[in-house]
Amino acid sequence: MKKEIEVQVYGAEIICASCVNLPSSKETRDWLEAALGRKFPGQRFSVSYVDIENPPEDEEKRAFALRVVEEDMFYPVVRIESEIVGEGNPKLKTIVAEMEKYGYRQLPE
């Protein structure tokens, strides 16, 4: 049995200044949840949104949210486990490839 992973989308209500014409962090989270659900039907995973301006109590998420701010990363920043797999304008192909490393399999098209 593969480990159920959490895809984390870090961002803020206000769109990153360098990302003005891109979807918001919450829109990216919604898009990823739908797209990954189509790529990996029936396979369990979660997609969460972490607000970098009001991070949760979870120490790891809080620490990474602070890092996003301190390092002026382009958000949304997408992480799987501790790996950054997208920043600013995340690519579905890259995220899918990372999920496959954890045993997720796409259905043949």
Side-chain angles (χ1 to χ4, degrees):
M1 179 70 184
K2 67 180 166 284
K3 177 182 177 182
E4 182 178 332
I5 63 166
E6 178 185 14
V7 178
Q8 301 168 349
V9 179
Y10 290 78
E13 293 291 326
I14 298 170
I15 295 176
C16 162
S18 299
C19 308
V20 152
N21 294 320
L22 298 175
S24 73
S25 298
K26 285 185 177 180
E27 289 169 333
T28 298
R29 189 208 71 85
D30 294 344
W31 164 73
L32 273 177
E33 187 170 55
L36 294 173
R38 287 189 300 274
K39 291 280 186 188
F40 304 111
Q43 299 171 66
R44 295 178 54 113
F45 62 88
S46 62
V47 182
S48 63
Y49 170 74
V50 179
D51 188 329
I52 60 174
E53 295 173 344
N54 297 300
E57 293 298 316
D58 179 283
E59 190 55 43
E60 182 183 346
K61 289 178 181 176
R62 179 178 286 283
F64 189 76
L66 183 60
R67 183 176 159 202
V68 170
V69 173
E70 288 177 346
E71 294 181 14
D72 286 328
M73 292 182 183
F74 295 118
Y75 50 87
V77 177
V78 179
R79 268 188 7 155
I80 295 177
E81 294 303 303
S82 60
E83 191 72 30
I84 297 172
V85 294
E87 185 179 346
N89 187 17
K91 305 291 183 237
L92 184 59
K93 185 175 184 177
T94 305
I95 295 165
V96 165
E98 187 68 19
M99 288 183 71
E100 288 176 334
K101 291 179 185 177
Y102 290 92
Y104 289 83
R105 296 287 169 243
Q106 297 183 62
L107 292 180
E109 295 182 24

